[in-house]
Amino acid sequence: PSPRSFQPNEASEEALRCEIEELKRKDLALDQEIAQLLSEGYSLEELDKHISLLHEYNEIKDAGQMLLGKLAVIRGVTTKQLYPEYDLELSD
């Protein structure tokens, strides 16, 4: 069927409206959180840097998790069993 022949039904339109409203609520909540941080003296540059560092941390952590997983497979153990060997907390 061509895109023009697609007729969204009432349920899918309602689902989209709900999703749009939820996204609007999230956007508003984030705007309020940013305003709160700015009122506490944080700058946008500082927040951007912090977000960038969090992304970098998560990428490094993901790579470490992948390496631990591969090492666990090679050794025939679980990843959890490797944590003490590398002084890692399970919450890491």
Side-chain angles (χ1 to χ4, degrees):
S2 70
R4 288 184 179 184
S5 67
F6 175 72
Q7 296 294 320
N9 62 33
E10 217 172 285
S12 65
E13 286 182 15
E14 182 59 28
L16 287 173
R17 274 194 284 279
C18 288
E19 188 174 346
I20 289 169
E21 287 306 313
E22 179 60 26
L23 289 171
K24 286 179 181 179
R25 282 192 291 276
K26 286 181 180 180
D27 185 50
L28 179 61
L30 288 171
D31 285 344
Q32 290 171 341
E33 189 175 342
I34 289 170
Q36 175 67 33
L37 290 169
L38 292 173
S39 74
E40 292 174 5
Y42 293 96
S43 69
L44 287 177
E45 294 80 19
E46 186 178 10
L47 294 173
D48 285 341
K49 178 66 175 172
H50 186 71
I51 289 169
S52 176
L53 289 172
L54 284 172
H55 284 296
E56 184 178 348
Y57 166 80
N58 284 329
E59 289 172 7
I60 293 168
K61 182 178 175 182
D62 289 345
Q65 289 292 329
M66 185 178 63
L67 290 172
L68 277 175
K70 290 182 183 286
L71 183 58
V73 168
I74 291 169
R75 291 189 182 176
V77 298
T78 66
T79 304
K80 182 178 177 179
Q81 291 171 308
L82 293 176
Y83 272 59
E85 185 177 336
Y86 295 98
D87 295 321
L88 299 171
E89 299 289 328
L90 287 177
S91 61
D92 284 344

